[in-house]
């Protein structure tokens, strides 16, 4: 009897302890809430993601008809849906039954991290579902940490970073497909039943085709200034997969994002921690524009380096001389960019290789020794010249790659990615290979490329870090036979470790992420970088489209945008210099041209543009808020956007003609982002017209400008004008 009552008490205690929390977990940003139900011993339930709500409304979410779907769907007990996680246990069991075990929170700098620990009901297998927010940002970062203490490795077949149910309705999805020289093309479509999969399996340059960001517009066709939208950016530099599964019998689309697991299942050892990449999500009811501004603020504050510094105006040598690097030309280019007011010169590909000189793209990668035939004074000579001309100096490298024709490959063929019993498949120049960064020795080699340059020549202020081929021939000469499927993941872990070492030692150097143009535009790689090369396509007209798509998630400070020669080297199109300049000035301004081939008038025009950019609009473009006004994708004949300073006392308005037809009616563009109650004086920048615009020097209220805009003449009254008109207006509050 005594024994029985003790047992009853114990049972009652266990029941109470078991119910110790039936918790609504709130993950709040200043204006949004994600609410999850974490009841101990039960499945984790997603209840709500939307406008920030009160505790009282949160308590009634279920009564109101909340989704109440598994917040991190596990494969097994109900195998019908798309799982976020699927494993094979050490004993061969293919199911998981994850239930809530604990909820905890911690502070990380200025951020709050909430962790919900899920534990399998039978196996010692754990998933921490993590959410990070900070009071300054509208972004929720979510990821998972997976571990176990089973007897042998557990095979992870699925391991998404996050899951989000999206209520069916008139939902549209915007995604960004692309290819070399045509990156970040915006595609918006209604979300219908079936599967929508967005993925990139390049292995190295994982923004090469599709981008790992999407926007869900919940109130129909996406709009800039209205409607509920959810943006999601998977922050990962390797293979990724975003999936929307619209299951027919429920009211929800199911969105999952994470590493692409194709041939990448992972053998997780007991006690090893597998951390999935961050999935950054944001919600607003104010449309695409506000969503972009939220991502830009968060990106500038937390995911891109040195955004407190304004970016230098630079000249890059690539389109000017290609591989034809020679000391006199480098000297001349430095003198020219300095004379036009530029601040930095970047020597691109072609400067290295002794036994295998880099005279073309078929040899030399791997041998980062100066070719003294081309540069007798070596890098010290170039640094002297830069000092003499009063510009900083930057240099191009592609340290993850090697050519067959290289001393590195001769010595170490075992360092390249290659499957056993297969001939090598080459990339660029039909001789390029990817170094196997899963191998710590290769990580050392890549680190040493940068370390040697920066230790010997600490004056190098800027590095352009390029990567120009995908993983081919999936196989690692370093990883064991059992772990070949780890290659894609371990490559990017190796890259991250190497970049950590570089940044620990060289926190200040500016590094550009380039990968055949914009194939590394991703928040997974940017934390070690300062900017990206937006595209190898420098054609001003096509750049409007590429930069427009890129601007959905990435801020202008990171978006390298260069004035180049005509006919354009990628499209063959000829456009007047003002247009080319006006497009380049809407991003991080630079030049990609042989200045020697420019006329004195053209140099003067660029000198003035650079001067105006530096003295008037650089902080507005690089630190301001973006307002997209008229999309080139709407095919209205023109495109327009503007940036406003956070204080709204300064703004810069860009307008570009994108189609040229006689008597076409171009829309009048309403401005945005101004203070309606302030008055702004308007002045045109980069003016080429003989006669000033009618509104030059006039003042208008912010309200008038935002309600009506100003009429843009669609042609120029200038000697060098062609059919491509453009305008840049500075608006200064009085
Ligand atoms: C590809 C880059 O995107 C170009 O800008 C240039 O750096 C070349 N590589 C050099 O090989």
């Amino acid at each position: 009897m005594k024994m029985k009552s003790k047992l009853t008490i114990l049972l009652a205690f266990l029941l109470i302890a078991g119910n110790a929390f039936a918790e609504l977990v709130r993950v709040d940003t200043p204006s949004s809430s994600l609410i999850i139900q974490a009841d101990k011993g039960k499945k984790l339930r997603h209840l709500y993601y939307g406008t920030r709500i009160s505790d009282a409304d949160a308590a009634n979410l279920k009564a109101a008809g909340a989704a109440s779907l598994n917040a991190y769907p596990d494969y097994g007990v109900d195998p019908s849906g798309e799982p976020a996680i699927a494993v094979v246990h050490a004993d061969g069991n293919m199911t998981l039954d994850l239930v809530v075990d604990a909820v905890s929170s911690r502070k990380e700098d200025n951020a709050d991290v909430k962790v919900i620990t899920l534990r399998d009901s039978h196996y010692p297998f754990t998933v921490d579902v993590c959410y990070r927010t900070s009071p300054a940002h509208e972004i929720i970062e979510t990821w998972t940490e997976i571990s176990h203490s089973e007897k042998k490795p557990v095979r992870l077949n699925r391991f998404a970073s996050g899951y989000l149910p999206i209520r069916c309705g008139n939902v549209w999805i915007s995604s960004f497909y692309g290819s070399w020289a045509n990156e970040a093309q915006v595609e918006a479509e209604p979300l219908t039943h079936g599967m929508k999969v967005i993925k990139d399996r390049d292995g190295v340059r994982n923004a090469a085709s599709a981008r790992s960001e999407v926007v869900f517009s919940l109130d129909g066709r996406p709009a800039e200034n209205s409607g509920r939208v959810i943006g999601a950016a998977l922050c990962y530099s390797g293979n990724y997969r975003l999936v929307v599964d619209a299951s027919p019998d429920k009211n929800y689309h199911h969105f999952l994002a994470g590493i692409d697991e194709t041939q990448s299942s992972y053998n997780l050892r007991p006690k090893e921690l597998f951390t999935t990449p961050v999935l950054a999500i944001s919600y607003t009811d104010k449309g695409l524009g506000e969503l972009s501004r939220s991502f830009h603020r968060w990106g500038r504050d937390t995911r891109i380096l040195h955004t407190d510094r304004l970016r230098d105006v630079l000249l890059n040598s690539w389109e000017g001389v290609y591989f034809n690097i020679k000391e006199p030309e480098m000297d001349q280019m430095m003198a020219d960019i300095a004379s036009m007011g530029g601040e930095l010169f970047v020597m691109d590909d072609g400067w290295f290789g002794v036994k295998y000189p880099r005279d073309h793209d078929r040899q030399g990668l791997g041998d980062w020794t100066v070719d003294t035939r081309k540069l007798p004074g070596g890098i010290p000579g170039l640094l002297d010249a830069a000092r003499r001309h009063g510009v900083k100096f930057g240099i191009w490298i592609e340290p993850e790659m090697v050519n067959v024709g290289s001393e590195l490959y001769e010595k170490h063929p075992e360092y390249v990615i290659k499957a056993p019993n297969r001939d090598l498949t080459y990339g660029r120049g039909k001789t390029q290979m990817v170094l196997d960064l899963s191998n710590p020795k290769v990580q050392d080699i890549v680190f040493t490329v940068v370390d040697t340059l920066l230790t010997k020549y600490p004056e190098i202020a800027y590095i352009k870090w390029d990567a120009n081929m995908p993983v081919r021939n999936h196989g690692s000469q370093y990883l064991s036979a059992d772990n070949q499927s780890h290659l894609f993941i371990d490559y990017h872990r190796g890259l991250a470790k190497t970049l950590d070492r570089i940044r620990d030692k060289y926190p200040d150097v500016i590094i550009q992420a380039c990968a055949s143009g914009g194939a590394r535009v991703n928040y997974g790689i940017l934390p070690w970088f300062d900017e990206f090369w937006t595209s190898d396509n420098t054609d001003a007209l096509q750049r409007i489209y590429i930069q427009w798509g890129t601007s959905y998630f990435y801020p202008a400070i990171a978006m390298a945008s260069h004035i180049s020669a005509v006919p354009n080297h990628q499209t063959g199109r000829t456009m007047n210099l003002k247009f080319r300049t006006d497009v380049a000035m809407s991003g991080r301004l630079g030049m990609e041209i042989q200045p020697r081939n420019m006329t004195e008038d053209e140099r003067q025009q660029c000198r003035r543009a650079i001067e105006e950019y530096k003295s008037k609009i650089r902080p507005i473009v690089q630190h301001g808020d973006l307002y997209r006004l008229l999309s080139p994708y709407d095919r209205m004949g023109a495109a327009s956007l503007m940036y406003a300073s956070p204080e709204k006392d300064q703004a810069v308005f860009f307008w570009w003609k994108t189609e040229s037809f006689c008597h076409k009616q171009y829309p009048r563009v309403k401005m945005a982002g101004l203070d309606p109650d302030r008055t702004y004086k308007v002045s045109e920048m980069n003016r080429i017209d003989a006669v000033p615009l009618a509104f030059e020097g006039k003042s208008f209220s912010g309200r008038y400008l935002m309600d009506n805009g100003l009429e843009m003449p669609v042609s120029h009254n200038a000697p060098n004008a062609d059919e491509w008109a453009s305008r840049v207006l500075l608006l200064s509050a009085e």
Side-chain angles (χ1 to χ4, degrees), residues 9 52 171 266 515:
I9 292 167
R52 187 163 172 151
V171 180
Y266 192 88

Side-chain angles (χ1 to χ4, degrees), residues 199-241:
K199 51 133 184 72
D200 188 298
R201 288 193 194 134
D202 186 276
V204 176
R205 309 159 307 165
N206 285 88
S209 55
R211 290 273 160 92
S212 71
E213 297 99 23
V214 287
V215 181
F216 297 99
S217 298
L218 310 183
D219 297 316
R221 192 178 285 276
E224 279 295 326
N225 300 315
S226 62
R228 297 170 303 147
V229 288
I230 294 172
L234 184 76
C235 307
Y236 188 55
S237 58
N239 290 356
Y240 76 86
R241 185 166 169 270

Side-chain angles (χ1 to χ4, degrees), residues 318 323 348-349 396 428 464 466 468 514 516-517 533 536:
W318 181 240
F323 292 102
D348 210 284
D349 200 351
W396 178 96
R428 188 183 187 197
K464 176 173 174 178
D466 206 346
N468 288 304
C514 172
S516 314
W533 182 219
D536 269 354

Side-chain angles (χ1 to χ4, degrees), residues 18-175:
N19 263 340
F21 57 89
E23 223 184 278
L24 282 190
V25 179
R26 299 187 61 113
V27 183
D28 292 319
T29 70
S31 39
S32 73
S33 297
L34 173 72
I35 313 264
I36 314 152
Q37 179 144 22
D39 295 353
K40 188 163 169 112
K42 305 246 177 75
K43 291 284 184 200
L44 184 66
R45 297 270 159 207
H46 171 100
L47 296 187
Y48 174 83
Y49 185 40
T51 313
R52 187 163 172 151
I53 55 172
S54 65
D55 284 342
D57 281 338
N60 285 330
L61 279 170
K62 273 186 144 174
S68 201
L69 291 163
N70 187 347
Y72 194 65
D74 45 350
Y75 181 87
V77 177
D78 173 9
S80 64
E82 272 296 306
I85 182 162
V87 310
V88 182
H89 293 281
D91 65 2
N93 188 328
M94 297 195 356
T95 66
L96 275 169
D97 180 26
L98 296 173
V99 292
V100 174
D101 185 54
V103 176
S104 62
S105 51
R106 60 173 192 265
K107 285 261 174 218
E108 255 179 28
D109 300 326
N110 292 328
D112 289 311
V113 180
K114 293 217 162 90
V115 180
I116 297 142
T117 300
L118 308 178
R119 206 176 289 281
D120 189 89
S121 57
H122 177 81
Y123 291 89
F125 186 95
T126 304
V127 177
D128 281 348
V129 180
C130 310
Y131 300 94
R132 182 165 45 218
T133 50
S134 90
H137 300 116
E138 292 293 351
I139 307 291
I140 298 174
E141 298 177 18
T142 181
W143 72 98
T144 55
E145 295 176 1
I146 306 168
S147 61
H148 71 89
S149 51
E150 299 187 22
K151 298 263 175 315
K152 289 195 199 136
V154 170
R155 197 163 178 83
L156 308 184
N157 286 329
R158 278 281 173 96
F159 32 88
S161 294
Y163 162 78
L164 205 60
I166 311 271
R167 179 70 167 81
C168 296
N170 190 3
V171 180
W172 284 55
I173 182 169
S174 304
S175 58

Side-chain angles (χ1 to χ4, degrees), residues 201-206 365-366 398-404 406 408-409 412-419 424-428 430-439 442-443 445-446 465-478 487-488 490-492 495 516 520:
R201 288 193 194 134
D202 186 276
V204 176
R205 309 159 307 165
N206 285 88
L365 293 178
E398 190 177 357
E400 296 156 78
M401 306 286 164
V402 69
N403 285 118
V404 175
S406 69
L408 177 62
Y409 185 63
H412 292 293
E414 75 280 15
Y415 286 168
V416 302
I417 287 180
K418 180 188 178 306
L424 271 157
T425 316
Y426 303 108
R428 188 183 187 197
K430 304 206 168 35
T431 62
Q432 187 165 329
M433 297 161 288
V434 185
L435 289 169
D436 183 353
L437 267 168
S438 70
N439 183 342
V442 172
Q443 294 164 22
I445 286 176
V446 175
W465 178 305
D466 206 346
N468 288 304
M469 78 166 278
V471 167
R472 296 249 165 90
N473 221 327
H474 181 171
S476 169
Q477 304 188 71
Y478 169 74
L487 173 66
F488 286 113
D490 283 356
Y491 181 92
H492 288 275
L495 178 62
S516 314
R520 267 192 174 159

Side-chain angles (χ1 to χ4, degrees), residues 325-598:
I325 298 275
K326 286 194 199 115
E327 204 165 81
E329 271 81 359
M330 297 299 98
D331 191 80
Q332 162 255 315
M333 289 179 113
M334 288 188 233
D336 283 335
I337 188 61
S339 79
M340 286 187 277
E343 298 150 313
L344 167 68
F345 172 71
V346 181
M347 177 173 68
D348 210 284
D349 200 351
W351 59 269
F352 52 92
V354 175
K355 184 169 174 192
Y356 297 99
R358 182 79 171 165
D359 295 336
H360 43 71
D361 67 4
R362 297 185 297 283
Q363 63 182 33
L365 293 178
D367 301 346
W368 302 100
T369 312
V370 173
D371 180 350
T372 45
R373 288 173 320 141
K374 297 177 178 175
L375 301 167
I379 293 175
L382 296 166
L383 290 170
D384 277 349
R387 233 174 285 125
R388 212 168 350 102
H389 297 302
V391 288
K392 297 178 197 162
F393 179 78
I395 197 163
W396 178 96
I397 51 173
E398 190 177 357
E400 296 156 78
M401 306 286 164
V402 69
N403 285 118
V404 175
S406 69
E407 295 181 62
L408 177 62
Y409 185 63
E410 279 176 356
K411 278 192 219 114
H412 292 293
E414 75 280 15
Y415 286 168
V416 302
I417 287 180
K418 180 188 178 306
N421 310 318
R422 302 273 172 225
D423 290 340
L424 271 157
T425 316
Y426 303 108
R428 188 183 187 197
K430 304 206 168 35
T431 62
Q432 187 165 329
M433 297 161 288
V434 185
L435 289 169
D436 183 353
L437 267 168
S438 70
N439 183 342
K441 286 192 181 140
V442 172
Q443 294 164 22
D444 282 344
I445 286 176
V446 175
F447 171 75
T448 306
V449 174
V450 177
D451 192 35
T452 309
L453 279 172
L454 294 184
T455 309
K456 276 172 116 174
Y457 313 112
E459 269 178 85
I460 293 179
Y462 178 107
I463 287 175
K464 176 173 174 178
W465 178 305
D466 206 346
N468 288 304
M469 78 166 278
V471 167
R472 296 249 165 90
N473 221 327
H474 181 171
S476 169
Q477 304 188 71
Y478 169 74
L479 294 169
S480 67
D482 284 353
N483 288 340
Q484 287 292 304
S485 62
H486 292 197
L487 173 66
F488 286 113
I489 292 170
D490 283 356
Y491 181 92
H492 288 275
R493 287 177 173 173
L495 178 62
K497 273 192 203 152
T498 311
L499 290 167
D500 274 343
R501 282 173 74 188
I502 291 171
R503 278 311 186 181
D504 280 351
K505 193 157 173 195
Y506 304 103
D508 287 331
V509 64
I510 301 289
I511 313 185
Q512 180 188 71
C514 172
S516 314
R520 267 192 174 159
V521 179
N522 188 286
Y523 277 123
I525 194 112
L526 282 175
W528 294 280
F529 290 83
D530 298 78
E531 62 171 31
F532 47 79
W533 182 219
T534 316
S535 174
D536 269 354
N537 191 334
T538 57
D539 173 271
L541 182 61
Q542 203 170 343
R543 266 297 180 112
I544 294 173
Y545 292 80
I546 294 170
Q547 295 183 182
W548 196 272
T550 306
S551 82
Y552 273 60
F553 284 85
Y554 297 93
I557 193 167
M559 212 186 285
S561 187
H562 296 177
I563 303 167
S564 64
V566 285
N568 180 266
H569 293 195
Q570 291 75 40
T571 61
R573 197 186 338 259
T574 297
M575 308 184 86
N576 67 70
L577 181 59
K578 173 172 168 59
F579 194 99
R580 286 178 273 146
T581 308
D582 285 0
V583 171
M585 283 171 80
S586 69
R588 194 282 281 133
L589 175 64
M591 300 186 79
E592 182 105 6
I593 196 166
Q594 171 51 285
R596 201 171 53 193
N597 301 336
M598 295 166 73

